[in-house]
Amino acid sequence: MDAAMNYADAASAPANPLARLLAGVNRNVMHVVAAVAATLVVVETGVLLAGVIYRYALHDPLIWSDELASTLFIWLSMLGAVLALDRGEHMRLTAIVNKLSDKWRVWLETVAALIVCIFVLMIIHPAVDHASEQMAITTPALEIPDGLRAAALPVGAILMFLAAIARMASRSSVKQVLSAVAVVAVIGAVLWISKPALLAMGNYNLIVFFVVLIGVCVAGGIPIAFAFGTATMAYLTIATGAPMMIVVSRMDEGMSSLILLSVPLFVLLGSLLEISGLARTLIDFMAALLGHVRGGLQYVLLGAMFLVSGISGSKAADMAAIAPALFPEMKKRGSKPEELVALLSSSGAMTETIPPSLVLITIGAVCSVSITALFIGGLMPAVIATIAIGIVCWFRARREPMPDVKRASIGVIGKTLIAAIPALALPMLIRVAVIEGVATATEVATIGVAYTIVVGLVMHAFMKHLDFKRIYPMLVEAATLSGAILLIIGMATSMAWALTQSGFSAKLVSLMQGVPGGGFGFLLITIVIFIVLGSILEGIPAIVLFGPLLFPVARSLGIHDVHYAMVVILAMGIGLFAPPFGVGFYAACAIGKVSPDKVFNRVWGYLAALVVALLVVAAVPWISIGFLEH
């Protein structure tokens, strides 16, 4: 899966006047969308910060701040999703498509763009109807029509249609478009003609829509969010009499949760950590402490990933913040590049449970689990996983020569510690504030953004290291990544609703309750399921889709929500970074500039250690829930 893969690598200039016109219009529109989305990130942060200041500093809560933030948030989510589509940054599986010839790859890209066009066309009218109905509802604090918020859905759908049609016109020939239309039309006709047979199958028709159809879409490189949406639309149209507006209303519900307001803020915070220089000061301090021991910088990499991970919302961003600062020095000391990338990849897998991971926030939102409890429960499983990888590092480091580096003096350690104190304080501030219940995840993220900006400006006054030209692209990237994540959550919420209404959830609970081995047997099945799903679907899509189905089963078997969440997240993380499909593995190889073939054999030792750590976490619930009792 690749969250930054263009729809067609073999891009060429539009071949005809109509295509050039569409490309030009789309380009100008997307410039405006990017500017609005970047502005919304700033305004959203400002509104939430004002709410925090009034609540905690002035003790005079703003009753309208959350309401305005929620309205801005759905617009930010939809515009971010539009940008992600235009830039080819929606999460999708590319492993199969990339193995094909250029001709077939471009044809599949054409089919993907066509599917997106069809889907958004189908939801535009229901989205307009939904927004119109919401106009009759007045918000309690601002006393404005709620339809102004819901209007983001049809506007976003229209802009997505423009982006997809412009992409298809500029990248594909007329012959490719016509053949893609023919194939999609045939598949649609077969499904429609098979309606009586599908209805006669009862719930077994779910396999056709939610296994076969989604599988074909994902394998063909269609963005996962649209694969979910297309399958749900097809199921509701053919197998039920439910109106299409349900898809839109479920999307609205899934993307409007106040809990998810923290997503763009943590994404922004991760970017700010990197450009402010705080991440670098952290690395310098740990290198001064451990750089002289055998394998010392490997331990520094582990520690840095433990402290920084989870804040940015993107594993690629976490790795990109750490690796360039450490890899050159590690190579100088004799470490093999492929070994470094294997370690980087596995360290990304181990840190998914560390607060304030967006995966934790997503599970809390979609599975009705306390985010505070998840933040408390996530630290010890990550410690166990870190120790497991550290043991592998120790064994492998014994074969390396001692580094020709003198132990840092107390003065150097003290100097780097002073410089690193602001960076060390931030993750501690975030985790302690949420764990102690001082503030919500969204409020802490807001405080973290303000803190990082202030500290970064103070540091810039002395070191002049900030590049202010990076701020606007950073805001656009925050909106884009947030939109890609939130659209998946919205689409998967619609899909989960369809599965629930079909009665599948109840049957799944009944089936899973009878698995051999009781609760632990169910945990073992969960581990296998989420390692596979994490590899194919990536983390958040897998959790949003299957979490609401499997968490009730876990509860019925007496498994604590937080314990189950930790098993799910660690399993998903292993799948995410396991070759041959895991996107995290290829992201680590790209960041380390090493061929995946060279890393392939070296990563398994680390992944095996993580599997052992996961089995320990699954077998010992106290690791996840022991601190919840105090």
Side-chain angles (χ1 to χ4, degrees), residues 402-424:
M402 282 294 292
D404 186 20
V405 177
K406 294 182 180 179
R407 182 192 296 265
S409 66
I410 296 297
V412 170
I413 294 174
K415 183 179 178 180
T416 56
L417 172 60
I418 292 171
I421 284 175
L424 288 167

Side-chain angles (χ1 to χ4, degrees), residues 75-279:
W75 279 95
L76 172 60
S77 301
M78 289 304 296
L79 295 182
V82 171
L83 291 172
L85 181 63
D86 182 64
R87 294 150 68 107
E89 294 182 4
H90 275 290
M91 298 174 188
R92 64 192 191 114
L93 182 69
T94 59
I96 297 173
V97 174
N98 286 343
K99 292 180 179 179
L100 302 176
S101 65
D102 288 346
K103 176 184 175 181
W104 283 104
R105 188 165 67 248
V106 173
W107 185 80
L108 283 173
E109 304 291 359
T110 305
V111 173
L114 179 62
I115 293 293
V116 172
C117 288
I118 293 171
F119 175 77
V120 294
L121 275 177
M122 289 182 70
I123 68 168
I124 286 173
H125 188 270
V128 170
D129 289 343
H130 174 68
S132 298
E133 287 188 1
Q134 295 300 110
M135 282 291 183
I137 301 173
T138 302
T139 61
L142 295 174
E143 296 184 347
I144 60 174
D146 189 56
L148 296 177
R149 179 193 61 80
L153 295 165
V155 171
I158 292 168
L159 291 171
M160 285 183 205
F161 177 75
L162 172 62
I165 200 78
R167 176 72 65 172
M168 187 165 52
S170 63
R171 308 281 174 153
S172 309
S173 67
V174 174
K175 182 179 178 181
Q176 288 170 330
V177 173
L178 291 177
S179 61
V181 170
V183 169
V184 172
V186 168
I187 294 173
V190 168
L191 287 173
W192 185 259
I193 293 170
S194 304
K195 182 176 180 178
L198 290 169
L199 292 175
M201 291 171 65
N203 274 352
Y204 287 105
N205 62 25
L206 296 174
I207 297 174
V208 174
F209 293 102
F210 297 116
V211 177
V212 176
L213 188 56
I214 285 183
V216 170
C217 288
V218 171
I222 294 170
I224 287 176
F226 296 98
F228 287 175
T230 300
T232 304
M233 282 288 215
Y235 172 73
L236 293 179
T237 301
I238 296 172
T240 76
M244 290 301 101
M245 194 187 295
I246 287 178
V247 175
V248 176
S249 62
R250 295 301 100 181
M251 279 178 59
D252 188 1
E253 177 185 332
M255 298 172 70
S256 297
S257 171
L258 282 175
I259 295 173
L260 296 173
L261 274 172
S262 59
V263 170
L265 293 174
F266 278 124
V267 173
L268 178 62
L269 178 56
S271 299
L272 287 170
L273 271 180
E274 194 268 323
I275 70 169
S276 67
L278 288 177

Side-chain angles (χ1 to χ4, degrees), residues 406-601:
K406 294 182 180 179
R407 182 192 296 265
S409 66
I410 296 297
V412 170
I413 294 174
K415 183 179 178 180
T416 56
L417 172 60
I418 292 171
I421 284 175
L424 288 167
L426 179 61
M428 304 304 173
L429 169 70
I430 290 172
R431 286 152 193 163
V432 170
V434 176
I435 288 171
E436 294 298 324
V438 176
T440 66
T442 301
E443 291 169 339
V444 170
T446 308
I447 295 168
V449 169
Y451 171 91
T452 307
I453 290 172
V454 171
V455 172
L457 290 173
V458 171
M459 292 174 64
H460 177 71
F462 294 97
M463 294 184 284
K464 306 294 181 185
H465 65 287
L466 282 179
D467 181 1
F468 291 99
K469 292 180 181 179
R470 296 177 61 188
I471 293 177
Y472 178 73
M474 176 190 70
L475 294 172
V476 175
E477 284 294 335
T480 302
L481 177 57
S482 301
I485 292 171
L486 293 162
L487 187 66
I488 285 177
I489 292 175
M491 297 292 193
T493 301
S494 298
M495 186 172 165
W497 178 88
L499 288 170
T500 302
Q501 294 302 308
S502 71
F504 172 77
S505 298
K507 290 184 178 179
L508 180 67
V509 170
S510 177
L511 176 67
M512 288 296 190
Q513 284 175 334
V515 299
F520 191 70
F522 175 67
L523 287 175
L524 292 178
I525 293 174
T526 294
I527 288 171
V528 174
I529 289 174
F530 275 94
I531 286 178
V532 174
L533 290 175
S535 179
I536 296 173
L537 288 181
E538 253 197 38
I540 288 177
I543 285 171
V544 172
L545 181 56
F546 289 92
L549 301 178
L550 294 177
F551 268 75
V553 182
R555 292 179 191 127
S556 70
L557 292 171
I559 301 171
H560 195 285
D561 280 349
V562 173
H563 178 211
Y564 189 63
M566 296 307 126
V567 172
V568 165
I569 294 171
L570 282 174
M572 178 272 301
I574 293 171
L576 183 63
F577 285 86
F581 292 114
V583 63
F585 173 75
Y586 295 105
C589 292
I591 290 167
K593 298 178 181 178
V594 177
S595 168
D597 296 338
K598 295 181 179 179
V599 185
F600 193 88
N601 291 330

